[in-house]
Amino acid sequence: PPYFSCTLKGDFSQMKRTHLFIAGLYLLASCRAEEGLNFPTYDGKDRVVSLTEKNFKQVLKKYDDKVAQKQFQLKEIVLELVAQVLEHKDIGFVMVDAKKEAKLAKKLGFDEEGSLYVLKGDRTIEFDGEFAADVLVEFLLDLIEDPVEIINSKLEVQAFERIEDQIKLIGFFKSEESEYYKAFEEAAEHFQPYIKFFATFDKGVAKKLSLKMNEVDFYEPFMDEPIAIPDKPYTEEELVEFVKEHQRPTLRRLRPEDMFETWEDDLNGIHIVAFAERSDPDGYEFLEILKQVARDNTDNPDLSIVWIDPDDFPLLVAYWEKTFKIDLFKPQIGVVNVTDADSVWMEIPDDDDLPTAEELEDWIEDVLSGKINTEDDDNEEGDDGDDDEDDDD
């Protein structure tokens, strides 16, 4: 069975410390849920065991650092709840002390302290999302599914077409025994569960999706038309290489299950970030404008916009508003320095007068050219300081 494990340390970045705190709040909220909603609460039974080099039995280290100890306790509680919920799924949960079991951690490919890993077959998969029980459960349930979902009917085609906010691939093959399907399936395992792979063996489904035999189409998020991967039929290596080359979309949604991986995938140290609530009329309209900009600029390798729906991260809204000095009750777009979270935001004076796609493209062009950047206000502050010193002299 797959094993879910974590390594421990006491020094976390501010962003990860924030999310560990949120994970704790999530659990408290679960415990106070109204009766009848049936939110799971930790029952006190230990299901997460400690992994050691010699006997793989429980050995837990007591930390002198109280902050590190509290973070460890939060992680352990979340893991215990997830282990309890998924007990019937035959998933083993273990912990590795990164300092005490350094050799074992290295052997298993655990190269980052404080991270969570899944061992599935001969693969080591790092979980790079929000450390919350519901997010972990969904991640693991997706991971134990087959890496390729088969589409057999028109209704399933409609469900496939409704997936617009994430990368997806679909291929048409003769049967499950086809060597080209097997290559496709093996390629899917490299990206599961972050990227969705679909296949069909039905000629009617293939015709509806304009697929030829042994062809695989790549769908970038929010794009109207897919890209047919060239030079079919493909090997596993060719498919993996193509996906890796194209897995940074022009417009991508920040998702709880891979938020840290997305944030670390910056372009020249910055992200263009857009906040828009899809459920809000103004947010929906702004998202449609963002989609149009992305479609018009899909061939620009230097453009990648991270869309954040505040509804996905309710416990982070106040933190973002304080950090970026913006109001998230209305749509926003800005450029953020990933090193120090310094940011510059487009002026949108009125929700009823959102920028057009052309105005947004002009603003983005100024960002990409460096005309708008996060260092300008730093320089101004530095200049003011120099002037004060000159006056004092």
Side-chain angles (χ1 to χ4, degrees), residues 4-9 11-12 16 20 75 79 94-98 105 109-118 124-129 131 136 260 264:
F4 193 61
S5 60
C6 73
T7 51
L8 311 174
K9 71 171 184 177
D11 182 23
F12 292 83
K16 293 198 175 184
L20 287 171
K75 280 197 169 187
L79 283 178
V94 300
M95 281 191 175
V96 180
D97 188 314
F110 302 164
D111 54 7
E112 185 177 346
E113 293 182 355
S115 293
L116 297 164
Y117 296 89
V118 181
T124 298
I125 304 154
E126 183 176 2
F127 173 75
D128 225 350
F131 198 87
L136 291 177
F260 294 116
E264 290 165 3

Side-chain angles (χ1 to χ4, degrees), residues 25 39 44 76 93 101 103 145 166 219 231 234 237 246 255 271 273-274 283 324 341 353 366 393:
L25 290 181
F39 281 99
E76 186 179 35
F93 289 76
E101 301 296 338
K103 285 179 61 178
E145 294 291 330
Q166 54 187 297
Y219 286 77
D231 303 324
Y234 326 94
E237 292 75 19
H246 293 82
R255 303 181 300 172
H271 278 301
V273 177
F324 300 136
D353 188 22
D366 286 343
D393 292 337

Side-chain angles (χ1 to χ4, degrees), residues 139-165:
F139 175 85
L140 290 172
L141 289 176
D142 285 344
L143 191 56
I144 62 178
E145 294 291 330
D146 292 334
V148 179
E149 184 173 339
I150 307 302
I151 295 181
N152 295 313
S153 68
K154 290 183 178 179
L155 285 176
E156 290 175 343
V157 171
Q158 292 175 11
F160 168 81
E161 291 176 334
R162 282 197 292 268
I163 302 172
E164 68 158 1
D165 62 355

Side-chain angles (χ1 to χ4, degrees), residues 196-258:
K196 303 292 186 183
F197 279 65
F198 298 84
T200 187
F201 311 117
D202 184 280
K203 291 182 180 179
V205 169
K207 183 177 180 180
K208 185 170 181 59
L209 293 171
S210 303
L211 280 168
K212 297 178 181 178
M213 181 63 71
N214 296 323
E215 179 180 280
V216 175
D217 281 358
F218 178 93
Y219 286 77
E220 183 180 339
F222 307 110
M223 295 298 148
D224 293 325
E225 299 295 333
I227 302 169
I229 299 179
D231 303 324
K232 67 178 179 69
Y234 326 94
T235 64
E236 173 191 351
E237 292 75 19
E238 288 170 337
L239 288 168
V240 170
E241 182 180 358
F242 184 91
V243 175
K244 285 184 175 179
E245 184 180 343
H246 293 82
Q247 69 179 18
R248 182 193 287 133
T250 310
L251 177 61
R252 49 183 164 168
R253 182 175 188 167
L254 190 72
R255 303 181 300 172
E257 61 265 34
D258 58 359

